[in-house]
Amino acid sequence: MMSAIKRIHAATDFSELGNEAVRRAAIIAAREDAELLVTHAFPRQSAFDAVFAGEHDLQDRMRALAEENLAAQIKAAQSCGATRARGEILTGSARRVLAETSDIFRPDLWVIGAHGSGLLQQFLLGGTAAHILNKASCPVLVTRRAVEGDYRRALAAVDLGPRSEAVLRAALIVAKHAGVKLLHAYAAPFEAKLRNKRFPETEIKRLAEREFLVAQRNLDALLADPELVGIDIESELSHGKPNTVVPDAARALGADVIVVGRHGGGRIRESLIGSVPRFLAYYAPCDVLVV
């Protein structure tokens, strides 16, 4: 479960969204007085030689440029109030060196860009970013658009399974000054298959209503936590598939960030283990925090 944020690890490939990830991390670090480590993975000499044979000074020139870019990112982060920000150039395979550095640094939050030209490749195509999203032992915040300030509206999408409390608490921490809305998408068990097999709509509706009542009880139980007393949390149950319901709700709310669990529970556990967080990280209209 997410608690206070003391250490943040942001990775950038110096693409537009990679640098926005650093800015988002800096805003959170400044607010939480957290330590911020900004890293960039740089290829080994052998990788340059394999691609740029004969360009003997190319690696040195590109290394100098990377160090200059990283220094600029750290200066910008510190100007945002992240006084404990520092940068590090890592040499080697991005997937390996980022994982090793994270194991040593032990961040409470990862921040990465949604996609880029190098390190942060498109999620559905795999790559280092997808590896971070899947393997990180802490929540991963994926920036998907330009940063305009601290979060103002957050949508916590829960499946009402075991990780729902962690999702809600993470939303309250990362989006500390934002209004938080709790959302659960429900449907009749195997609703699409029942409809494809021409199951009576009246029976499908009855099953969906039963799921609604169960979801309402579970939602009320989640919000009954004494620690949440006095916190203004809006809630909604919406009929449909999460991949459709959640982005639509985020747009309607004008959400700056969607918070979702990495693992699922209940009847739709299988689909929530990876597909919903990945779908949102790639297609959501705003930032996505995967808990």
Side-chain angles (χ1 to χ4, degrees), residues 9 45 71 76 81 86 107 125 129 136 152 166 213 220 251 270-271 288:
H9 186 179
Q45 180 67 55
R86 62 185 176 90
L125 299 180
R152 295 168 296 173
L213 295 174
D220 291 343
R251 293 187 187 93
E270 185 67 25
S271 65
V288 178

Side-chain angles (χ1 to χ4, degrees), residues 225-274:
D225 187 333
E227 294 185 6
L228 299 178
V229 173
I231 301 177
D232 185 17
I233 302 173
E234 186 182 354
S235 62
E236 178 184 347
L237 296 174
S238 183
H239 179 260
K241 295 180 179 180
N243 283 355
T244 300
V245 169
V246 176
D248 287 348
R251 293 187 187 93
L253 181 65
D256 304 298
V257 61
I258 297 170
V259 187
V260 65
R262 183 179 284 115
H263 303 291
R267 289 188 175 91
I268 51 177
R269 173 180 171 82
E270 185 67 25
S271 65
L272 284 176
I273 288 176

